[in-house]
Amino acid sequence: MAQSLTILGLESSCDDTGAAVVRGMPRDAQVLSSVVEGQTGLHAAFGGVVPEIAARAHAERMDIVVRQALDEAGLTLSAIDAVAVTAGPGLIGGVMSGVMCAKGIAAGAGLPLIGVNHLAGHALTPRLTDGAAFPYLMLLVSGGHCQFLLVRGTEDFTRLGGTIDDAPGEAFDKTARLLALPQPGGPSVEAEAGKGDAARLRFPRPLLDREGCDMSFSGLKTALLRTLDDLMDNGQLRQQDRADLCAGFQQAVIDVLVEKTRRALAVYLAEGPAAPVLAVAGGVAANRAIRAGLETVSAEMGVAFLAPPLALCTDNGAMIAYAGLERFASGARDDMTLAARPRWPLDQAAAGMLGGGRKGPKA
Ligand code: KG4
Ligand code: ZN
């Protein structure tokens, strides 16, 4: 009988300071507490995450967030078996803040230290929330990431494809900025799209004509700018035009994600998984129209669709604690030489093709 583990997890790779306590064993763990402190207000005036501001805020707040997570779990450090921390990829100053804090806690309390890949945290979340069995297909879609991962084991990931430029969340945020809608752009563009006609203004579907699962979203912004120019009347944009722009843009993102998901599912299904599952993670998974598209394509292909609760889809400490739990249970240990890494692809074989983005390296 495997032993139950209690893991403290720290996350600070972008603009959320997270700490959480997770208890249990692989595929059977509970979140005892999860505290996330966002930094949206700190970056609002700059139109994007400012790495130095993010790093300082993580350094100032991480110990407080950790204390709160322990308090909410009703535990002290003496009940913790190991400290897990995001060691990359991400904005390096923030990752360093978390790693240093985790090292301090581990050294002070005499606890083992586990470095976790942030993307593995997202990718293993369906095992925390639904006890998903390997292998499953993960679509990670957020403001910083967009990739298909075939998840075969705790440390066994194959990247089937991903964005070659912007992540979809980034495209939603840029669209919102161009249309003077509030940030983060995803929810405001989705709300506008609900009032618009998706068929009126046609946007490109980049890379659909090309084989494979790679995607591109940066061209959508240019197309949007051009259409916006045509629609502007004396510097004014009619309400209906704005809604139609949002609806057309969102439909283009949906069509690309759905078609590329169909292809990734075909690759995954060719391996003959016994109980096939498509899981999503990342803030963009909150979009109801995108979710509906993914659900439909999954159903068509006889694959179960899993969407973890939103609080565990976006950046949080619980996914890091859980990924740490899986690593710890399989015997992995790190020590005080653990380094913060700005880039850290999950799939080394696919590492060559990746670019950078507004929220840091794509990994
Ligand atoms: O996973 P997340 O919280 O943070 C990282 O990017 O790491 O994702 C945030 C992103 C933002 O770009 C936001 O605009 C997008 O997710 N997002 C959405 C929606 N809600 C959040 N995109 C489309 N539709 C939504 N409803
Ligand atoms: Zn993330």
Side-chain angles (χ1 to χ4, degrees), residues 140-203:
L140 178 53
V141 267
S142 71
H145 318 292
C146 179
Q147 52 187 301
F148 292 105
L149 291 166
L150 214 165
V151 187
R152 292 199 182 88
T154 303
E155 317 239 17
D156 187 353
F157 307 92
T158 303
R159 190 178 185 280
L160 299 181
T163 183
I164 59 166
D165 41 53
D166 290 354
E170 212 169 343
F172 271 93
D173 295 341
K174 285 177 179 171
T175 296
R177 206 162 301 126
L178 289 173
L179 299 177
L181 293 166
Q183 296 290 327
S188 43
V189 171
E190 182 181 10
E192 280 294 310
K195 298 179 245 165
D197 172 7
R200 180 182 152 216
L201 304 166
R202 177 91 187 155
F203 288 91

Coordinates of all heavy atoms in Angstrom, one line a residue, residues 140-203:
L140 N -3.0 22.5 -23.6 CA -2.7 23.6 -22.6 C -2.8 24.9 -23.4 O -2.1 25.1 -24.4 CB -1.2 23.4 -22.1 CG -0.7 24.4 -21.2 CD1 -1.6 24.6 -20.0 CD2 0.7 23.9 -20.7
V141 N -3.8 25.7 -23.0 CA -4.1 27.0 -23.7 C -4.2 28.1 -22.7 O -5.2 28.2 -22.0 CB -5.4 26.9 -24.5 CG1 -5.1 26.5 -26.0 CG2 -6.5 26.1 -23.9
S142 N -3.2 29.0 -22.7 CA -3.3 30.1 -21.7 C -2.8 31.4 -22.3 O -2.7 31.4 -23.6 CB -2.5 29.7 -20.5 OG -1.1 29.7 -20.8
G143 N -2.4 32.3 -21.5 CA -1.9 33.6 -22.1 C -0.4 33.4 -22.4 O 0.1 34.2 -23.2
G144 N 0.2 32.3 -21.9 CA 1.6 32.1 -22.2 C 1.9 30.8 -22.9 O 3.0 30.7 -23.5
H145 N 1.0 29.9 -22.9 CA 1.3 28.6 -23.5 C 0.2 28.2 -24.5 O -1.0 28.5 -24.3 CB 1.4 27.5 -22.4 CG 2.1 27.9 -21.2 ND1 3.5 28.2 -21.2 CD2 1.7 28.1 -20.0 CE1 3.9 28.5 -20.0 NE2 2.8 28.5 -19.2
C146 N 0.6 27.3 -25.4 CA -0.4 26.7 -26.3 C 0.3 25.4 -26.9 O 1.2 25.6 -27.7 CB -0.8 27.6 -27.4 SG -2.0 26.8 -28.5
Q147 N 0.0 24.3 -26.4 CA 0.6 23.1 -26.9 C -0.2 21.8 -26.6 O -1.0 21.8 -25.7 CB 2.0 22.9 -26.4 CG 2.2 22.9 -24.9 CD 3.7 22.9 -24.5 OE1 4.4 22.0 -24.8 NE2 4.1 23.9 -23.8
F148 N -0.1 20.9 -27.5 CA -0.6 19.5 -27.3 C 0.4 18.6 -26.7 O 1.5 18.5 -27.3 CB -1.1 18.9 -28.6 CG -2.2 19.6 -29.3 CD1 -2.1 20.4 -30.4 CD2 -3.5 19.5 -28.8 CE1 -3.1 21.1 -31.0 CE2 -4.6 20.1 -29.3 CZ -4.4 20.9 -30.4
L149 N 0.1 18.0 -25.6 CA 1.0 17.1 -25.0 C 0.4 15.7 -24.8 O -0.7 15.6 -24.3 CB 1.4 17.6 -23.5 CG 2.2 18.9 -23.5 CD1 2.2 19.4 -22.0 CD2 3.7 18.6 -23.9
L150 N 1.2 14.7 -25.3 CA 0.7 13.3 -25.0 C 1.4 12.9 -23.7 O 2.6 12.9 -23.6 CB 1.2 12.5 -26.2 CG 0.3 11.3 -26.6 CD1 0.7 10.8 -27.9 CD2 0.3 10.2 -25.5
V151 N 0.6 12.8 -22.7 CA 1.1 12.5 -21.3 C 1.1 11.0 -21.1 O 0.0 10.4 -20.9 CB 0.3 13.3 -20.3 CG1 0.9 13.2 -18.9 CG2 0.1 14.7 -20.7
R152 N 2.3 10.4 -21.0 CA 2.4 9.0 -20.9 C 2.8 8.6 -19.5 O 2.7 7.5 -19.0 CB 3.4 8.4 -21.9 CG 3.0 8.5 -23.3 CD 3.8 7.5 -24.1 NE 3.5 7.6 -25.5 CZ 4.0 8.4 -26.4 NH1 5.0 9.2 -26.0 NH2 3.7 8.4 -27.6
G153 N 3.5 9.5 -18.7 CA 4.0 9.2 -17.4 C 4.3 10.5 -16.7 O 4.3 11.6 -17.3
T154 N 4.6 10.4 -15.4 CA 4.9 11.6 -14.6 C 6.0 12.4 -15.2 O 6.0 13.7 -15.1 CB 5.4 11.1 -13.2 OG1 4.4 10.3 -12.6 CG2 5.7 12.3 -12.3
E155 N 6.9 11.8 -15.9 CA 8.0 12.6 -16.5 C 8.1 12.2 -18.0 O 9.2 12.3 -18.6 CB 9.4 12.2 -15.9 CG 9.3 12.2 -14.4 CD 10.2 13.2 -13.7 OE1 10.7 14.1 -14.4 OE2 10.4 13.0 -12.5
D156 N 7.0 11.8 -18.6 CA 7.1 11.3 -20.0 C 6.0 12.0 -20.8 O 4.8 11.7 -20.8 CB 6.8 9.8 -20.0 CG 7.0 9.2 -21.4 OD1 7.2 9.9 -22.3 OD2 6.9 7.9 -21.5
F157 N 6.5 13.0 -21.5 CA 5.6 13.9 -22.3 C 6.1 14.0 -23.7 O 7.3 14.2 -24.0 CB 5.6 15.3 -21.7 CG 5.3 15.4 -20.3 CD1 6.3 15.4 -19.3 CD2 4.0 15.5 -19.8 CE1 6.1 15.5 -18.0 CE2 3.7 15.6 -18.5 CZ 4.7 15.6 -17.6
T158 N 5.2 13.9 -24.7 CA 5.5 14.1 -26.1 C 4.7 15.3 -26.6 O 3.5 15.3 -26.5 CB 5.2 12.9 -26.9 OG1 5.9 11.7 -26.4 CG2 5.6 13.1 -28.4
R159 N 5.4 16.3 -27.1 CA 4.8 17.5 -27.6 C 4.4 17.2 -29.1 O 5.2 17.0 -29.9 CB 5.8 18.6 -27.5 CG 5.2 20.0 -27.8 CD 6.3 21.0 -27.6 NE 5.8 22.4 -27.7 CZ 5.6 23.0 -28.8 NH1 5.8 22.4 -30.0 NH2 5.2 24.3 -28.8
L160 N 3.1 17.2 -29.3 CA 2.6 16.9 -30.7 C 2.6 18.2 -31.6 O 2.5 18.1 -32.8 CB 1.2 16.3 -30.6 CG 1.1 14.9 -29.9 CD1 -0.3 14.4 -30.0 CD2 2.1 13.9 -30.4
G161 N 2.6 19.3 -30.9 CA 2.6 20.6 -31.7 C 2.2 21.7 -30.7 O 1.8 21.5 -29.6
G162 N 2.3 22.9 -31.3 CA 1.9 24.1 -30.4 C 2.0 25.3 -31.3 O 2.2 25.3 -32.5
T163 N 1.8 26.5 -30.6 CA 1.9 27.7 -31.3 C 3.3 28.0 -31.7 O 4.3 27.7 -31.0 CB 1.3 28.9 -30.5 OG1 1.3 30.0 -31.4 CG2 2.1 29.2 -29.3
I164 N 3.4 28.6 -32.9 CA 4.8 29.0 -33.4 C 5.0 30.5 -33.1 O 6.1 31.0 -33.3 CB 5.0 28.7 -34.8 CG1 4.0 29.5 -35.7 CG2 5.0 27.2 -35.1 CD1 4.3 29.5 -37.2
D165 N 4.0 31.2 -32.5 CA 4.1 32.6 -32.2 C 3.4 32.9 -30.9 O 3.7 32.5 -29.8 CB 3.8 33.5 -33.3 CG 2.6 33.1 -34.1 OD1 1.5 32.9 -33.5 OD2 2.6 33.0 -35.3
D166 N 2.2 33.6 -31.0 CA 1.5 34.0 -29.8 C 0.7 32.8 -29.3 O 0.3 31.9 -30.0 CB 0.5 35.1 -30.2 CG 1.2 36.4 -30.5 OD1 2.4 36.5 -30.3 OD2 0.5 37.4 -30.9
A167 N 0.4 32.9 -28.0 CA -0.6 31.9 -27.4 C -2.0 32.5 -27.6 O -2.2 33.7 -27.7 CB -0.3 31.8 -25.9
P168 N -3.0 31.7 -27.6 CA -4.4 32.2 -27.8 C -4.8 33.3 -26.8 O -5.5 34.2 -27.2 CB -5.3 30.9 -27.7 CG -4.4 29.8 -27.9 CD -3.0 30.2 -27.4
G169 N -4.5 33.1 -25.5 CA -4.8 34.1 -24.5 C -4.2 35.4 -24.8 O -4.9 36.5 -24.7
E170 N -3.0 35.4 -25.3 CA -2.3 36.6 -25.7 C -3.1 37.3 -26.9 O -3.2 38.5 -26.9 CB -0.9 36.1 -26.3 CG 0.2 37.1 -26.1 CD 1.5 36.3 -26.4 OE1 1.5 35.1 -26.4 OE2 2.5 37.0 -26.6
A171 N -3.6 36.5 -27.8 CA -4.4 37.0 -28.9 C -5.7 37.6 -28.4 O -6.1 38.7 -28.9 CB -4.6 35.9 -30.0
F172 N -6.3 37.0 -27.5 CA -7.5 37.6 -26.9 C -7.2 38.9 -26.2 O -7.9 39.9 -26.3 CB -8.1 36.6 -25.9 CG -9.1 35.6 -26.5 CD1 -8.8 34.4 -26.9 CD2 -10.5 36.0 -26.6 CE1 -9.7 33.5 -27.4 CE2 -11.4 35.1 -27.2 CZ -11.0 33.9 -27.6
D173 N -6.1 38.9 -25.5 CA -5.7 40.1 -24.8 C -5.4 41.3 -25.7 O -5.8 42.4 -25.5 CB -4.5 39.9 -23.8 CG -4.8 38.9 -22.7 OD1 -6.0 38.7 -22.4 OD2 -3.9 38.3 -22.1
K174 N -4.7 41.0 -26.8 CA -4.3 42.0 -27.8 C -5.6 42.5 -28.5 O -5.7 43.7 -28.8 CB -3.3 41.4 -28.9 CG -1.9 41.3 -28.3 CD -1.0 40.6 -29.4 CE 0.4 40.5 -28.8 NZ 1.2 39.7 -29.8
T175 N -6.5 41.6 -28.8 CA -7.8 42.0 -29.5 C -8.5 42.9 -28.6 O -9.0 44.0 -29.0 CB -8.6 40.7 -29.7 OG1 -7.9 39.9 -30.7 CG2 -10.0 41.0 -30.3
A176 N -8.6 42.6 -27.3 CA -9.3 43.5 -26.3 C -8.6 44.9 -26.3 O -9.3 45.9 -26.3 CB -9.2 42.9 -24.9
R177 N -7.3 44.9 -26.3 CA -6.6 46.2 -26.3 C -6.9 47.0 -27.5 O -7.2 48.2 -27.4 CB -5.1 45.9 -26.2 CG -4.4 47.1 -25.5 CD -3.0 46.7 -25.1 NE -3.1 45.6 -24.1 CZ -2.4 44.4 -24.2 NH1 -1.6 44.2 -25.3 NH2 -2.5 43.5 -23.3
L178 N -6.9 46.4 -28.7 CA -7.2 47.1 -30.0 C -8.7 47.6 -30.0 O -9.0 48.6 -30.6 CB -7.1 46.2 -31.2 CG -5.6 45.8 -31.5 CD1 -5.6 44.7 -32.6 CD2 -4.8 47.0 -32.0
L179 N -9.6 46.9 -29.3 CA -11.0 47.3 -29.3 C -11.4 48.1 -28.0 O -12.6 48.3 -27.8 CB -11.9 46.1 -29.5 CG -11.6 45.3 -30.8 CD1 -12.5 44.0 -30.8 CD2 -11.9 46.1 -32.0
A180 N -10.4 48.5 -27.2 CA -10.6 49.2 -26.0 C -11.6 48.5 -25.0 O -12.4 49.1 -24.4 CB -11.2 50.6 -26.3
L181 N -11.4 47.2 -25.0 CA -12.1 46.4 -24.0 C -11.2 46.1 -22.8 O -10.0 46.1 -22.9 CB -12.6 45.1 -24.6 CG -13.6 45.2 -25.7 CD1 -13.7 43.9 -26.5 CD2 -15.0 45.6 -25.2
P182 N -11.8 45.8 -21.6 CA -10.9 45.7 -20.4 C -10.1 44.4 -20.4 O -10.4 43.4 -21.1 CB -11.9 45.6 -19.2 CG -13.3 45.6 -19.8 CD -13.2 45.8 -21.3
Q183 N -8.9 44.4 -19.7 CA -8.1 43.3 -19.5 C -8.4 42.5 -18.3 O -8.9 43.1 -17.3 CB -6.6 43.7 -19.4 CG -6.1 44.4 -20.7 CD -5.9 43.4 -21.8 OE1 -5.6 42.3 -21.6 NE2 -6.1 43.9 -23.1
P184 N -8.2 41.2 -18.2 CA -7.7 40.4 -19.2 C -8.7 40.2 -20.4 O -9.9 40.3 -20.1 CB -7.5 39.0 -18.6 CG -8.4 39.0 -17.4 CD -8.5 40.4 -16.9
G185 N -8.2 40.1 -21.6 CA -9.1 40.3 -22.8 C -10.0 39.1 -23.0 O -11.1 39.3 -23.5
G186 N -9.6 37.9 -22.5 CA -10.5 36.7 -22.8 C -11.9 36.9 -22.4 O -12.8 36.8 -23.3
P187 N -12.2 37.1 -21.2 CA -13.6 37.3 -20.8 C -14.3 38.4 -21.5 O -15.5 38.3 -21.8 CB -13.5 37.5 -19.3 CG -12.2 37.0 -18.9 CD -11.3 37.2 -20.0
S188 N -13.7 39.5 -21.7 CA -14.4 40.7 -22.3 C -14.7 40.4 -23.8 O -15.7 40.8 -24.3 CB -13.7 42.0 -22.0 OG -12.3 41.9 -22.2
V189 N -13.7 39.8 -24.5 CA -13.9 39.5 -25.9 C -15.0 38.4 -26.0 O -15.9 38.5 -26.9 CB -12.6 39.1 -26.6 CG1 -12.9 38.5 -28.0 CG2 -11.6 40.2 -26.6
E190 N -15.0 37.4 -25.1 CA -16.0 36.4 -25.2 C -17.4 37.0 -25.0 O -18.4 36.7 -25.7 CB -15.8 35.3 -24.1 CG -16.8 34.2 -24.2 CD -16.6 33.1 -23.1 OE1 -15.8 33.2 -22.2 OE2 -17.4 32.1 -23.2
A191 N -17.5 37.9 -24.0 CA -18.8 38.6 -23.7 C -19.3 39.3 -25.0 O -20.5 39.2 -25.4 CB -18.7 39.5 -22.5
E192 N -18.4 40.1 -25.6 CA -18.8 40.9 -26.8 C -19.2 39.9 -27.9 O -20.1 40.1 -28.7 CB -17.6 41.7 -27.3 CG -17.4 43.0 -26.5 CD -18.5 44.0 -26.8 OE1 -18.9 44.2 -27.9 OE2 -19.1 44.5 -25.8
A193 N -18.4 38.8 -28.1 CA -18.6 37.9 -29.1 C -20.0 37.3 -29.0 O -20.7 37.0 -30.1 CB -17.6 36.7 -29.1
G194 N -20.5 37.2 -27.8 CA -21.8 36.6 -27.6 C -22.9 37.5 -28.2 O -24.0 37.0 -28.5
K195 N -22.6 38.7 -28.4 CA -23.6 39.7 -29.0 C -23.4 39.9 -30.5 O -24.1 40.6 -31.2 CB -23.5 41.0 -28.3 CG -23.8 41.0 -26.8 CD -23.6 42.4 -26.2 CE -22.5 42.5 -25.3 NZ -22.0 43.8 -24.9
G196 N -22.4 39.2 -31.1 CA -22.0 39.4 -32.5 C -22.4 38.3 -33.4 O -22.8 37.2 -33.0
D197 N -22.1 38.6 -34.7 CA -22.4 37.6 -35.8 C -21.0 37.1 -36.2 O -20.2 37.9 -36.9 CB -23.1 38.4 -36.9 CG -23.3 37.5 -38.2 OD1 -22.9 36.3 -38.1 OD2 -23.7 38.0 -39.2
A198 N -20.7 35.9 -36.0 CA -19.4 35.3 -36.3 C -19.2 35.1 -37.8 O -18.1 34.9 -38.2 CB -19.3 34.0 -35.6
A199 N -20.3 35.2 -38.6 CA -20.1 34.9 -40.0 C -19.9 36.2 -40.8 O -19.5 36.1 -42.0 CB -21.3 34.2 -40.5
R200 N -20.1 37.4 -40.2 CA -20.1 38.6 -41.0 C -18.7 39.0 -41.4 O -18.4 39.3 -42.6 CB -20.7 39.7 -40.2 CG -20.7 41.0 -41.0 CD -21.3 42.2 -40.2 NE -20.7 43.4 -40.7 CZ -20.4 44.5 -39.9 NH1 -20.6 44.4 -38.6 NH2 -19.8 45.5 -40.4
L201 N -17.7 39.0 -40.5 CA -16.3 39.4 -40.8 C -15.5 38.1 -40.7 O -15.4 37.5 -39.7 CB -15.9 40.4 -39.8 CG -16.8 41.7 -39.7 CD1 -16.4 42.5 -38.5 CD2 -16.6 42.5 -41.0
R202 N -14.8 37.9 -41.8 CA -14.0 36.6 -42.0 C -12.5 36.9 -41.6 O -11.9 37.7 -42.1 CB -14.1 36.1 -43.4 CG -13.4 34.9 -43.7 CD -14.2 33.7 -43.5 NE -13.4 32.5 -43.7 CZ -13.7 31.3 -43.1 NH1 -14.7 31.2 -42.3 NH2 -12.9 30.3 -43.3
F203 N -12.0 36.1 -40.7 CA -10.6 36.1 -40.3 C -9.9 34.9 -40.8 O -10.5 33.8 -41.0 CB -10.5 36.3 -38.8 CG -10.9 37.6 -38.3 CD1 -12.2 37.8 -37.9 CD2 -10.0 38.6 -38.2 CE1 -12.6 39.1 -37.4 CE2 -10.4 39.9 -37.8 CZ -11.7 40.1 -37.4

